[in-house]
Amino acid sequence: VKFSTCKIENRKQSKRIDIQQLFDHIAECLANFLEKLGMKNQKLPLGFTFSFHCQQTKLDESILVSWTKGFNSHGVEGRDVVSLLRKAIIKRGDFDIDIVSVINDNVGTMMTCGYDDHHCEIGLIVGTGTNACYMEEMRHLELVEGDEGRMCVNMEWGAFGDDGALDDLRTDFDQEIDAGSLNPGKQLFEKMISGMYMGELVRLILVKMAKEDLVFQGHTTPDLVTNGQLQTSFVSAIENDKLVGLVSAEKMLRGLGLDPSVDDCVATQRVCQVVSTRAAHLCAAALAAVLRQIRDNKAAERFARRLHKMVRRLVPDCDVRFLRSEDSSGKGAAMVTAVAFRLAIQHAGRQRILDALRLSQEQLLDVKRRMGEEMNRGLAKESHDQATVKMLPTFVRSMPDGTESGDFLALDLGGTNFRVLLVRVRRWKRRSVEMHNKIYAIPQEAMQGTGEELFDHIVHCIADFLEYMGMKGASLPLGFTFSFPCHQSKLDQGILLKWTKGFKATGCEGEDVVTLLKDAIYRKEEFDLDVVALVNDTVGTMMTCGYEDPLCEVGLIVGTGTNVCYMEEMQNMELVDGGEGKMCVNMEWGAFGDHGELDDFSTDFDKAVDEHSANPGKQTYEKMISGMYLGEIVRNVLLEFTTKGLLFRGKLSERLKTRGIFETKFLSQIESDRLALRQVRSILQHLGLTSSTCDDSILVKEVCSVVACRAAQLCGAGLAAVVDKIRQNRNLPELKITVGVDGTLYKLHPHFSNFMHETVRDLAPQCKVTFIQSEDGSGKGAALITAVACRIRDQMGHISTE
């Protein structure tokens, strides 16, 4: 039985059926087939082609690793599909089958062709998906026992490139297809080759060309910009001979609502040819690698008897002698001992250096205690000015309760790109927030000109967005995510303390940025907006996650920088009036340690990073944790190792001496469990270390692991202080709380989140902490804060009216 041949009436629905329905359906298809053949009373051997990613331990057992091709049947992953099918057949009881083998479709392809041609040793599938299998020598298969004979290997090559190996070949179109797929970041090779994605790739290229006025007179249509409107079958038809292909191109383009010229049809045909040619070439390159592996395997079998003869033929002018070892058990043992002794000394030297970056449980508890002390100092009016953790009031007093409703605008200004968003919130409909957004660039002249020029540009972008959304002249509540240091005295006011991130617009520092925005809106005279809230991206993260989970009262950012906010009891906040309820506090915890609180944990590597930073002596905690600095810490450790002859044979490359060359993204790539040492070496070669060895790669991986682990543990220690303070505030023996998290380091590093979670569990055992990732906290979060503020304002207005 072939799984993909089972007739499924409602394909979209059945891909999400539960485990019982799925295998009952397969058993029913099998019963109907046997009934039709009049063979229901016979017990026949059955081969099961199951074309999904599986781990096999024997021929009739196959554990599903992960669904692909849009299937998502609950409860199947991690289970033996043969057992599940057997149970469904037994449950019916009207026929009996002996399931002898379960195979992948490409294995079936190889076996079918091998029946006709005994030289067939490779199976290749290139259709909706793509995969290959081949006969490998048993001695090369470390995952199974035995070293004699051969075994068919299911390559699952669709995932080639998931570790970044194809990043230099992938285009913006490939990345867009991947981002919009059901499994982003996975099956990247398949997405460049297979039929499921080829039509979409052509569509994206045509959209890009239209927007650049290269085809269709610069026009697009709703169908052309809609996902899935261009099938791969159209690509095949268009690639027919020139005349038929052009007719097919015209027919397809008119079906998309376009009025193409002959040149448009020719260009479309050429795009199809380029896309399919690239797919064929990539497939051929991978197949060539398989063929080379088989060739090398067979050559190795004859190696021993041909070695001398071939060497002499290749270098006839060299006098080559082959010596047999004498007394290998004695002298050889001594030589091995000498090498081992040298390696042991080097290992001890490396560990002494790395031990400075390893933190004990007692040290982490000390960090937690010191963070708690600084939090209290920041909350108290008397000690606030001297505190490194400023604990700034945000005037966000309440979390979403599900009754919020309406349309809200959000602005997100935190760098050289600026976003305008329309967020539609509907009462009681959790997880159904609708968002539309558009990204605008902030030109250099606006960043470094006058404040009026900067805010006039922002308002111009808002006007463009409102017109784009068909809402020109609309008056809506607005939330402003402004990710620069501000002092707030109320929710809709923020005094800019200083510009960062390259901004230098004059007339802004010391001024209320909300007033600057309102003045620019007034000058525009096209629309009016009610600026309800000015927020930090950390607070936005907490609110976004709080909309999904009512227990979320902490927001954490761990990306280029790091920060935390949480809901503090008003009675503890001496900087604002009022003693009842709660208010969100923006901790600005990156400055923790600026007064020496972390000096006994700081290493020479941390001091070197700080000394050469843009702000020496400031943001100490952030420089030990965040993505902006971890790569530089690793680079300094590698320099120390190499200088002492413990790495790279003591030879430094000029590139490794360059500050900032070791990007933090390299840590995530090197620590990926899927990345082979060969690919780690390719990263080192990028750094000019062309003669690095596998041993060097292992050591670099260890350094990256130690640095990332320390960062995650320090972050976890600080977070443990936060959740424990919330528990103590409420006099609870146990606290259940959720932390909303955003940031590339947390999301993309393969082990950072696990290290941090484990540290929080160890240091705050009376707190049961759940972590959820934020989706667009800086945009949606600002709108949700505005929605909550509007709800509270409306409630207060209603009370006043009564």
Side-chain angles (χ1 to χ4, degrees), residues 55-104:
Q55 175 74 41
Q56 284 193 253
T57 54
K58 46 188 177 179
L59 191 57
D60 63 345
E61 182 180 281
S62 190
I63 309 299
L64 177 63
V65 176
S66 61
W67 283 117
T68 56
K69 309 173 189 176
F71 281 79
N72 193 22
S73 182
H74 178 71
V76 184
E77 291 179 353
R79 300 183 66 178
D80 175 22
V81 295
V82 175
S83 296
L84 295 172
L85 180 56
R86 280 192 180 123
K87 288 178 182 176
I89 292 171
I90 293 170
K91 177 183 171 184
R92 288 184 61 89
D94 57 344
F95 69 95
D96 193 10
I97 287 291
D98 182 17
I99 304 176
V100 175
S101 65
V102 58
I103 61 171
N104 192 281

Side-chain angles (χ1 to χ4, degrees), residues 387-443:
T388 56
V389 181
K390 288 302 183 183
M391 308 294 283
L392 302 174
T394 67
F395 299 89
V396 173
R397 298 287 305 272
S398 178
M399 300 294 289
D401 66 2
T403 65
E404 294 81 13
S405 182
D407 292 350
F408 305 91
L409 280 181
L411 310 182
D412 179 12
L413 179 64
T416 54
N417 286 329
F418 164 66
R419 283 194 310 156
V420 187
L421 305 94
L422 173 66
V423 181
R424 290 186 165 127
V425 182
R426 296 295 173 257
R427 191 186 305 262
W428 302 118
K429 290 188 178 180
R430 295 260 169 150
R431 307 188 185 189
S432 62
V433 173
E434 179 186 341
M435 291 197 302
H436 305 271
N437 75 91
K438 198 171 181 182
I439 299 174
Y440 299 89
I442 303 287

Side-chain angles (χ1 to χ4, degrees), residues 556-711:
L556 168 65
I557 300 285
V558 195
T560 307
T562 183
N563 196 15
V564 160
C565 68
Y566 73 99
M567 298 301 290
E568 177 60 84
E569 304 298 321
M570 283 290 292
Q571 63 189 11
N572 297 332
M573 300 180 65
E574 297 181 9
L575 298 181
V576 293
D577 296 331
E580 294 184 0
K582 293 181 286 187
M583 180 182 289
C584 179
V585 169
N586 170 22
M587 289 181 62
E588 290 293 342
W589 78 354
F592 176 49
D594 287 3
H595 292 171
E597 300 93 338
L598 296 173
D599 281 359
D600 46 345
F601 303 115
S602 180
T603 66
D604 290 340
F605 312 117
D606 297 305
K607 292 168 185 171
V609 168
D610 178 61
E611 181 182 344
H612 294 101
S613 68
N615 54 349
K618 296 181 179 179
Q619 299 298 100
T620 303
Y621 190 54
E622 182 170 78
K623 288 171 184 172
M624 299 171 81
I625 289 177
S626 71
M628 181 176 284
Y629 304 99
L630 294 190
E632 186 64 6
I633 295 174
V634 168
R635 188 187 70 86
N636 279 285
V637 176
L638 299 183
L639 284 176
E640 178 79 359
F641 275 13
T642 309
T643 302
K644 294 189 174 181
L646 304 174
L647 189 65
F648 307 136
R649 298 186 181 91
K651 297 178 182 177
L652 279 173
S653 75
E654 289 303 315
R655 295 202 74 189
L656 190 60
K657 294 178 185 178
T658 306
R659 281 193 292 273
I661 195 69
F662 199 101
E663 301 173 47
T664 297
K665 70 175 183 180
F666 293 155
L667 271 76
S668 298
Q669 293 172 0
I670 288 172
E671 282 210 74
S672 171
D673 295 329
R674 298 176 299 177
L675 198 66
L677 291 178
R678 187 182 306 167
Q679 290 158 308
V680 176
R681 288 177 67 185
S682 71
I683 293 174
L684 297 179
Q685 287 169 357
H686 168 74
L687 301 174
L689 300 161
T690 54
S691 60
S692 62
T693 66
C694 283
D695 286 341
D696 291 332
S697 297
I698 292 170
L699 294 173
V700 170
K701 194 166 187 174
E702 182 181 11
V703 172
C704 291
S705 177
V706 170
V707 170
C709 179
R710 184 189 71 151

Side-chain angles (χ1 to χ4, degrees), residues 459 463-464 467 472-474 521-528:
V459 170
D464 177 79
E467 184 171 353
K472 187 174 181 179
I521 293 171
Y522 179 77
R523 286 194 296 273
K524 185 73 173 173
E525 295 184 344
E526 286 188 12
F527 56 87
D528 188 25

Side-chain angles (χ1 to χ4, degrees), residues 55-204:
Q55 175 74 41
Q56 284 193 253
T57 54
K58 46 188 177 179
L59 191 57
D60 63 345
E61 182 180 281
S62 190
I63 309 299
L64 177 63
V65 176
S66 61
W67 283 117
T68 56
K69 309 173 189 176
F71 281 79
N72 193 22
S73 182
H74 178 71
V76 184
E77 291 179 353
R79 300 183 66 178
D80 175 22
V81 295
V82 175
S83 296
L84 295 172
L85 180 56
R86 280 192 180 123
K87 288 178 182 176
I89 292 171
I90 293 170
K91 177 183 171 184
R92 288 184 61 89
D94 57 344
F95 69 95
D96 193 10
I97 287 291
D98 182 17
I99 304 176
V100 175
S101 65
V102 58
I103 61 171
N104 192 281
D105 55 352
N106 59 324
V107 180
T109 297
M110 183 188 73
M111 295 298 286
T112 300
C113 296
Y115 186 76
D116 297 323
D117 184 344
H118 294 172
H119 294 292
C120 181
E121 298 184 48
I122 300 175
L124 173 64
I125 298 289
V126 191
T128 305
T130 183
N131 196 9
C133 67
Y134 73 100
M135 297 301 293
E136 177 60 86
E137 300 296 318
M138 283 288 290
R139 65 179 182 274
H140 295 157
L141 297 174
E142 296 182 3
L143 297 181
V144 293
E145 295 181 357
D147 58 1
E148 293 182 2
R150 295 186 298 168
M151 180 182 288
C152 180
V153 170
N154 171 24
M155 293 180 64
E156 289 294 344
W157 77 1
F160 176 46
D162 289 5
D163 57 6
L166 295 176
D167 283 0
D168 53 341
L169 301 179
R170 295 175 67 228
T171 66
D172 293 342
F173 307 113
D174 297 310
Q175 292 171 14
E176 187 170 348
I177 282 177
D178 177 52
S181 68
L182 292 172
N183 54 348
K186 297 180 180 179
Q187 300 296 107
L188 297 184
F189 188 57
E190 185 174 83
K191 290 170 185 173
M192 298 172 77
I193 288 179
S194 71
M196 180 176 284
Y197 305 96
M198 197 175 294
E200 183 65 4
L201 187 55
V202 169
R203 186 190 67 80
L204 291 174

Side-chain angles (χ1 to χ4, degrees), residues 540-542 544-545 556 740-743 747 772-778:
T541 294
M542 182 188 72
T544 300
C545 296
L556 168 65
V741 194
D742 203 352
K747 289 181 174 180
I772 58 175
Q773 290 190 21
S774 167
E775 297 299 332
D776 195 18
S778 58

